[in-house]
Every structure is written in structure tokens, then in C-alpha cells.
Amino acid sequence: MNSDSSSSNGIFDKLKPAFEAIAANRYVSAIRDGFIACMPIIIFSSIFMMVAYVPNAWGFYWPTKVTNIILIAYNYSMGLLALFVAGTTAKNLTDSKNLDLPKTNQVNPVSVIVASEIAFIILSIIPLKTGNDLTYMGTQGLICAYIVGLIVPNIYYICIKNNVTIKLPPQVPQNISQTFKDLIPMASAVTVFWLFSVGFKAATGTILPRWIIQVLSPLFQASDSYIGLSIIAGAMAFFWFCGVQGPSIVQPAVVPIMIANTATNLQQYQAGVHASHVLAMNTMDYVMNFGGTGSTFVVAFIMLFAARSAQLKAVGKAAFIPGSFSVNEPVLFGMPIIMNPMFFVPFLLTPIVNICMFKFFVTVLGMNSFMFTMPWTVPAPIGILISSSFAPLSFVYVLLALVVDVLIYFPFIRTYDNTLLAQEKAKENEMTDENVVTDTVDNSEASQAQVAMSSDNSGDSASNKTQDYFKNNEVDVLVLCAGGGTSGILANALNKLSKKEDLKLSATARAYGQDMDLIQDMDMVILAPQMESMKGNLKKITDKYGVKLVTTTGRQYIALTNDGDKALNFVESNL
């Protein structure tokens, strides 16, 4: 068994660098981070959609005039999503390209955002006799938005790197000089897309976003099949099992499909017909990743109530609350599941079974699929009910998924638990010496008590020394993880202790790719182990601003999230 385990881990070790390279690719990162930046738009707009249509589940319908008023915020936020994504994608790629340029000759991100949005508008608006058709400014224009957002920064980069700009004398104020410096790159980018738009429309008779949707429609349909859904769910779990955050690789490829399907589902629901597309926005969050990648919602509860080994009981106690909100790193690193051959089968199989059951409920039984987008941290059972507008069959699906997931995971957890229990008992037996006389034990205990007191005093002294450091020095710490979940727990642990002890330490948390401009104002950045693949990219940024970058191992990171004192010592020791 040990040889099998080591050979399996060897295979995963060989695959990991390739997966990390994909996740860290600057173009994949720009798409992912550009989408993350627009997530508040999606969630914000969904609130208005739920206000307008969730009451329908209980037979209440707003008057048409009221519904139209409620939907104004949705139409001018989600309805222009692709326009915003073009800008945020371009901005993130620009930040990455600027790392390759001298600090004195950088691409202006604001100018790139503006140029990208102008170029996207040129490609996507359909002129009408009275006004314009904005259909492809929303969810159906996302793929086109990504294309624009990845090309415009490169046009700027070429111009700036080769000094193809209008240069003014040094006496001219910098803000005026920057305006002229941006003129040629902006004109070049907009002109390229204007000429392309004219030529493309003449050749095809349609606009680029509509053409893309038509060409990729077979892919949209294939992604909604049992095989397509299984590949997406299995790929995320497989990448994560190898130690690379799976959704960061898979999500950029399928986000346009998920968003378009969610919008279509809502239109179907509004029309009084079946919301039929399975692969919607929250399908990944609540069905494939039911409680986190690998569908681990039930795992912490199984350990909490059924485990007999001390290790799994401890992990269960620490993991069941975060796991309920889809923060499953305590399970992934605490058991561990990642690169543990014992859990390879259930970790891949459970998400696939969950999505296939969901597909059956939607396609065969007629349950409405997801039409709203909720935050990924909403507990999956609740999220499934809300996103499907409380479809009656969704209650049945949630109960069935819980039962099936327990049946899949339980045998593997029980086997692993028995192995750990045997190891713990063997260790206890080695430490037991039945031949030691009572008075020797008493003396030993007394000696141990003295040592413990001395150790405690030493620990208190070290702790006081650490706290003294933060009472005299202002320190700002940024914690980055995949979705902002565990990083938030660690930041809260630091801030809670800092407030209690009146320290000058401030910690904040973000999802990787979100508000990365914060880094320049930090003293330290702690990178969670699930984002290890982004270490190289992040180091370029932290080096640029002279910020300390610190990485952690899986179990170490989880321990820090649960202990403010340990986290404080960790920060101090790395400074």
C-alpha cells in the first residue's frame, strides 16, 4: 500500500508543474481576475431579479409596471456585463505586462480600460433605425469581451515598449504629457478594431459576438450533456487533487457558457416555460462543488460524528463550520485529501455523481435549473433552493445529494480512520511503560510539572516579546487565497488578537486577483497554499513594491487560521 501511495504521489508530482503553468498563465489569469472583479455586479443584479421573480414561487406576481422598475438596476448592470468585463480583463493583463516594463515607462491602465470598452462597443452594438440594439453588451458578448481585453493591452505594450508615442518636453506637466503619450496607443487599438469590425461585418453579414455564439453553440450544447458536465466536474477535482486550485483553471473556460445559460434560464422562467440549461453560474458552486471542490460538504460531519481517531475528530470539529459555507481547505489540508490516494476515487466521483443527478432532475423530472446567481459562500443546500427559485423538486434533490454523498465518502473515511486509529494506539503503546514504579512516576510528574511551568513562562515571555513588537511597529498584512474564505478567517484571527491586545497590526483578506493594488500598501502578503501556482506571478508584484511575500504549507496554514497567537508569531518571525 505504501509503494502504491508513493507511486501515485509521484505521478501527481509530475503533473503538478504543468497544471501550475496553466493556472499561472498571464492570459488565463487576466480572464479569471477580470471576471472576479465583476462578480459584485452579477450578485448585485441578481438581488433585483430575486425580488422581481422569487415571489412567483408562492403565487405572487408584481404588476408589470413595478417589475419593470425593479429590473432597471439589473438591465443597466448585468445587461452591460460584457462591457465591464472587457475593461477589467484588460486592466489585469496590463498590470501583468507592466511588470516587464521599467517603472519609468509604464502602460496607463486607465487608458487601456477606456480603449478596450470603446473597441468592444464598436464590435458589439447593432445600429437600428431608432437607437441601438444592446443585446451583445451583456452576457452573450462575454467571449468577445475577453478577446478585446487580451488584445488591446498588447497593442499598448508594443507602442509603449518601442516608444511609439507623442513625447513632450519635460517642462510640460505630467498629466498633460500622459494624455499625449496615450494618444497613439489608444488610436491604434481603436482603429484596429474599427477596421476589423467593418471588414468582418462585410464578410459575414453579422457582428463578431453574434458570430461567436453561433459558431460555439455546439460547444454550449455539449457542455450541458452528461459527458460534458462530468468532464467539467471531474477536471476541477482532479486538478485540486494534484495540488492546483481546480476552479482557477476550469472556470475561465466555462464562465461565458454558465452566465449565458443563467440568463437564458431566467428568460425561460419569465416566459412560464421550463428553465432547462443545467450548466448555470451556481451549478459549479452548489452542485459540482457541493461544499467545496470534491463535494466535501458531508465530509466534516462524517468525521465529527463517526470518526474514532483523534486526528479526524479534531479535523471534523475545526472544519464543519467553514465547510458548511464551502470553505473546505480545513478538510483538504487537514485530513489530508489532496494527494492522498485513499480519497482519489470519492473526491472525483462525488462531484460527477452530483451533477449527473442534477442533470436527471432538470432534464427528465422537469425541475427548473438555476436562474439566479448567489455568492459561492452561501451553504450549498440553501443556495440550490434559492437559485432554482425554490423549485419543489430542489428540496428532494438536496436531500438525495446529502444521502448519496455520505454513502460515497463514508467507506473511504472509515477505512482511513481505522488506519489512523491503529497508528495512534500503536504510538500510545510505545509510550506506555508498565514497569515504572509509582514513586518514579510521581517524581517524573513533578519534574514534568516544573518543566511545563518553565516552558509556559518561556512561551509567555516569547508571546509578550512578539506583542511588544506589534505595539511599537505598524504592520499591514494581506492574506490571499482562492476565494477569500480561509484568507478571511486568518485575517480575522489576526485582527481579533490585535484589537484585544491593542496592537498596531492590521490584516485584510482578498481572493487572488481581487484588489491587487492593495499590495503596494502592505508590509507582508501571505499566500495560501491553494494558490501556490501563483507564487511566481505574485512575487513579481511584491518585489516591485518591496513587500515581503510568505507562503505556507497546507496544515500550517489551517493551524494559523485557528490560532491568533500562532498567526501573530508567524507574521513576526517572517518580518
Side-chain angles (χ1 to χ4, degrees), residues 394-406:
S394 66
F395 292 85
V396 179
Y397 173 79
V398 168
L399 292 175
L400 182 61
L402 290 170
V403 172
V404 170
D405 289 3
V406 169

Side-chain angles (χ1 to χ4, degrees), residues 234-314:
M236 284 191 295
F238 180 75
F239 289 136
W240 233 139
F241 192 84
C242 295
V244 180
Q245 215 267 347
S248 67
I249 297 178
V250 177
Q251 192 177 55
V254 297
V255 156
I257 300 174
M258 294 192 298
I259 292 181
N261 284 348
T262 305
T264 302
N265 284 342
L266 183 60
Q267 292 169 1
Q268 292 174 336
Y269 183 73
Q270 291 169 340
V273 298
H274 178 220
S276 59
H277 293 283
V278 175
L279 186 60
M281 270 302 295
N282 283 147
T283 307
M284 183 177 287
D285 297 322
Y286 301 148
V287 179
M288 296 179 181
N289 300 335
F290 191 79
T293 306
S295 293
T296 58
F297 185 89
V298 301
V299 172
F301 292 94
I302 293 174
M303 291 189 291
L304 186 64
F305 295 111
R308 294 179 295 167
S309 65
Q311 177 178 323
L312 291 195
K313 278 187 174 293

